[in-house]
Every structure is written in C-alpha cells, then in structure tokens.
Amino acid sequence: MSARNPEPPQDRTVEGPHDPEHNIAGSYALEPEYVASLTSHLLATSGEVAQSVSPVNGQPLGVIPQSSLDDVDTAFARARAAQATWARTSIDERARVMMRFHDLVLKHADEIMEIAVWESAKARRDAYNEVYHVALTARYYARTAHRHLDTTRRAGVLPGLTRIDLNRVPKGVVGIISPWNYPFTMAMSDGLPALMAGNAVVAKADSQTMLTSLVGVRLLREAGFPEDLWVPVAGPGSKIGTAIIGRADYICFTGSTATGKRVAAGCAERLINCSLELGGKNPLLVLEDANIERASEGAVRASYGNAGQLCVSTERLFVADAIYDRFVARFVARTEAMTLGAGQDWAIDMGSLISQDQLDTALAHIEDAVSKGATVLTGGKHRPDIAPYFMEPTILEGVTPEMDIYANETFGPVVSLYRFQEETEAIALANEGCYGLNASVWTKDAKRGRAIAREIKAGTVNVNEGYAATFGSLEAPMGGMRESGVGRRQGAEGIHRYTEVQSVGTQRIHPLTQPWLLSNKQWAGLTSLNEKIMTKAGRRS
C-alpha cells in the first residue's frame, strides 16, 4: 500500500499556542477570520467555546462558539416565525431558491471539499461525493416538489356528491441532528426536503465537523432562504440534542443505534415522529457465477470508502467456496494497491479515521479477533506516520461468533471474510444479527441477484454494486430495517416524512343524512342498495 503524507500546513494565522516553527499546533490551518465568518451563522451566546483540531495532522482549525439552552429556545422561536411565512410561499418559489442553492454548492465545491478534508481527514474523492450528493438532492426535490406536495383527489363516499382532497401540510420546525462521518451531505441533504415541504429547521451538526456544515448554512442564505428558516446551534448532544428533541415537531437523526434508541424514547414521550438512520453490519455476497475482477474491485470500494466510516459500508464478505481463493487473492491485491494518505491530494484512495475513539474500536476488534484465532490477511496496523488516527485497510479471515467483530459494528476499514457452500446459507448468514441497513449481491445473473435481495433483511440491497446504486438514486428510499433504524430518506418517502396528511371533505347538494321524507329504515335500505351497486361496478371505496 502506498502512502501519501499530508501536505505541509500553511501558517495562515496570527497566533497559536506554541511556536509554529517547531510545533504544528502553533498555528491554525484555517484563517481565523474565515472560521469566524462561518461560526457567525451559529446561534451561540453562552460565551463557551470548543477547540476544533484536524485529524489530518493534529493542527488546530479554530474555536467553535457553544450554544446555551436559551439559545435553543430562541432558535425555535425564530424558526417558527420564519416557517409561518415560508409555508405560504409557493412551491415554485421554493424550488427556485433550492436550485440557486444547487448552483452555489457546485460553484463552491473546492471550498466544501477542503473544509471537509481538514475536519474529517477523509480522502478528497470521498469529500467530492458529499458535494455531488447534496447537489443531486437539491435538484431532485426542486424538480419533483409538485409531484410530492400538490393536493391530490381521492374518491368520496357518494360519487358526485362527496369530494375528498388530500393535502400535504408541513410539520412545522424539524430538528436535525447530524453526524461527523459525512459532514456536508448528512448536515444538508435531510434538511433540504424539509425546507421544500414548507418547514423550518433547527440543526445541530456534530462538534467534530461543525465548520463543514456551516459552509452549507452560508450557501443556503446566499441562495435566498430566509435567515431564520435554518438555524444552526452547537454543543454536546446530551445537552443541545436533548433540548432539540424536547422542542421540535419532528426529529431526523443519523448516528449509532444506542443513541437512536434514546432519541426515539424522547420523541415517544412527546408523541412526535422521527426518522432514524442507525448502525449496520452490512453483508456483501459474492455468488459462484460472479465476475471476480468486478466483484473484488467493488468490494474494495464498498469496504474502504471513507475509511469504512459510512453507515452502508461493507463489514462482512460472504464468498462462494468455488471461487473463494481466487476472489480473496484479488481482493487482497486490490486492497494492498490502494494509495493511503491524509490531506487534499486527489490521488489518495483512502483517508484516515476521524478520532482516537474510532481507532481504538478498530484496533480492539482486530486484537480480540486475532487473540481468538482469526488471521490478518493484510493491514491490521495503526499508521501514525500517515496521520494521528490512520488505520490500514484490514482483511480478517477465520472470524467466529465469539469474537467481538463478528456481530458488532466496527465503523472502520476492517472487513471479515467467510466461505459459503449454498446460497441459502449465505442469505441466512447475511441476516444474522440485529441490523438491516444495506447489503450487496454480486452475480452475472441480475434477475437471480434481485430475487436474493428480497430475502435479505436490509433497507437497501445493491446488485453488482456496494451501495452507490441505491444511495445515488434519489428516487430510491434509503433507510434501515430492525435496529438499523426507522423511516426513509430520499424519494417520496424522504419528503413526505416532513408532512402531515390532511383529508378535506366537501359535501355537495345534500348532506350525508336521510332526506326528511325517508325513515331511518328506508335510508338504511337505500344506502345498502348503493353499496351493492358500487360493489358490482367495481368501486374500491
């Protein structure tokens, strides 16, 4: 595996905690004025700040003002006032503003990628995927808004006399709590359909990647969205996240299953709905007839995109016994051919983990597996020579159920290989455990692959692709089964979750009661006759 070290940091600040000539922590990677311009969009008046440090090289990025509980109250008050006006804004006008945001995202792609890399240490190619996905999301909901939101007609109880209209009414103020692993797309993409549906947003991005999310907030305002329609706050989830759950009309959360359960409990207390995209232990099945070159290349992308820090990344590979040895040889070779690094270089294939916690989990899973008999085919080492938290892409063989990595999510560049004899065995293994987020099936028989997909308990299944086929298709709803979450993003489901369905009935000519000249018994007989006629005519309602 070849490695590219980070580019030397530019000393672009006026002061730092140490001598920058001898200590990288002595200067900021980003200009303080630039950071201040981004954090000015936060509603944060507590006087407290948090230091942001880059996992690329340990260099400080800036200070992030922290919000108080009073700030959260103010955020919701402002958002509710803005939402009342925005809900009366036409769908066409909302779409025009959304398309201006789309254009600005593409125009500022380099800036977004640079900040995302500094904050998360991901490869620049992975940062570009965030830019592209947000742009796709904005265009999709701007162009399909009428289809999803226009009032529709339903059949009335008495044809010609009863009219039923179905309205999509915005929830109000949506609380979005987004993670660090995809700091631009997770901060923005879930909120765009909320805005398109006529809602306001109060958002809390993860503290490790706050600046990337604030670039998105700045672009929303430049595009013409009212300033108080999207109010960002900052602070620990236990404090600020809990406060958001206690005030919002709907919650969208992406993160761990353990935290998601607490979010769901908080929403249940208030009888508000939520969508939760949570953990996964995602399987990839390589069937006997699969193209080994395509499957091994796809498995590398599915396993090591964003250094495995993606909810839909592959962590378990099930390979047909007949091709197992040949596939493993190619998978190991392709893994070892990856260019590893941390920094802004486009040539980097895999970037770093974001934190010591993520590194500790990956190393602990590997150490436990090896101590109980598993074999490391490649990787397995911490590489501080590349970045403080860099973990080599790792392939394990011989993983068994008593090992921690067997069923627990690693959320890093570590995958386990398993042989199978029969496809039914592979499906059963793929369905083991409590998760059900994403799966992948590789076969030359696409029809067979789709049939197997129906038997796998996962919200998305990709045939001859890892996750991009579903994730990149905005018409395709995305979300988890079982403990991988509830609700869906993308598609009609991704915008309808932010609306209440309202039925409006209009009665014409005569009310739904018997005329004065008919007795109750005669009226009952007449309605029964009408029901028989409607049934014979094939009406469903």
Side-chain angles (χ1 to χ4, degrees), residues 67-290:
S67 302
S68 66
L69 294 180
D70 287 342
D71 290 329
V72 179
D73 284 333
T74 302
F76 274 92
R78 292 181 181 177
R80 291 198 187 284
Q83 190 271 332
T85 300
W86 181 249
R88 294 190 293 270
T89 303
S90 71
I91 290 176
D92 289 336
E93 179 57 27
R94 294 180 211 165
R96 279 191 287 270
V97 180
M98 188 69 74
M99 285 307 300
R100 286 199 292 269
F101 174 74
H102 165 276
D103 296 342
L104 285 169
V105 166
L106 295 179
K107 179 180 178 181
H108 291 271
D110 286 337
E111 176 190 1
I112 297 164
M113 288 186 286
E114 181 178 355
I115 302 303
V117 170
W118 275 119
E119 284 199 303
S120 68
K122 64 174 57 193
R124 193 176 182 91
R125 59 189 285 181
D126 292 323
Y128 173 75
N129 289 339
E130 298 203 54
V131 173
Y132 183 51
H133 185 259
V134 170
L136 279 179
T137 302
R139 175 166 56 84
Y140 172 77
Y141 285 112
R143 296 283 170 82
T144 62
H146 279 290
R147 186 210 311 171
H148 299 315
L149 300 174
D150 281 352
T151 296
T152 57
R153 292 279 297 274
R154 296 290 175 87
V157 61
L158 293 177
L161 299 183
T162 308
R163 167 177 169 154
I164 296 295
D165 293 284
L166 214 63
N167 296 328
R168 290 282 176 180
V169 180
K171 292 274 188 181
V173 180
V174 173
I176 295 180
I177 303 173
S178 60
W180 49 260
N181 61 325
Y182 272 71
F184 189 63
T185 193
M186 292 293 99
M188 293 287 110
S189 291
D190 282 321
L192 297 180
L195 297 184
M196 200 65 239
N199 298 280
V201 168
V202 173
K204 192 200 86 66
D206 190 275
S207 58
Q208 297 173 95
T209 52
M210 181 62 68
L211 297 178
T212 308
S213 70
L214 292 176
V215 176
V217 174
R218 190 196 76 210
L219 297 181
L220 286 171
R221 293 175 179 177
E222 288 181 17
F225 286 103
E227 180 174 348
D228 290 335
L229 198 66
W230 185 300
V231 186
V233 291
S238 58
K239 175 183 177 182
I240 302 302
T242 300
I244 290 173
I245 295 167
R247 293 158 176 79
D249 301 307
Y250 185 95
I251 291 292
C252 175
F253 171 82
T254 303
S256 70
T257 295
T259 304
K261 289 180 179 180
R262 293 195 293 272
V263 172
C267 292
E269 283 291 322
R270 299 185 55 235
L271 291 179
I272 63 168
N273 214 335
C274 60
S275 51
L276 311 170
E277 191 202 271
L278 308 176
K281 192 70 178 175
N282 305 305
L284 184 150
L285 282 61
V286 185
L287 306 189
E288 185 175 343
D289 70 336

Side-chain angles (χ1 to χ4, degrees), residues 364-448:
H365 278 184
I366 295 168
E367 181 181 355
D368 174 77
V370 171
S371 72
K372 294 173 181 175
T375 301
V376 176
L377 298 186
T378 189
K381 298 183 181 65
H382 174 208
R383 293 288 301 276
D385 57 308
I386 299 177
Y389 314 120
F390 200 97
M391 178 75 214
E392 288 182 337
T394 302
I395 302 172
L396 296 175
E397 194 175 49
V399 171
T400 54
E402 66 269 17
M403 300 174 186
D404 291 341
I405 199 171
Y406 185 83
N408 296 313
E409 184 180 35
T410 305
F411 216 64
V414 186
V415 297
S416 305
L417 288 168
Y418 307 86
R419 293 177 186 263
F420 70 83
Q421 302 292 332
E422 303 291 336
E423 290 176 0
T424 53
E425 176 192 2
I427 294 168
L429 290 169
N431 286 334
E432 277 190 345
C434 62
Y435 295 116
L437 188 57
N438 180 64
S440 176
V441 180
W442 293 78
T443 173
K444 291 177 183 175
D445 184 349
K447 183 177 180 180
R448 176 63 183 151

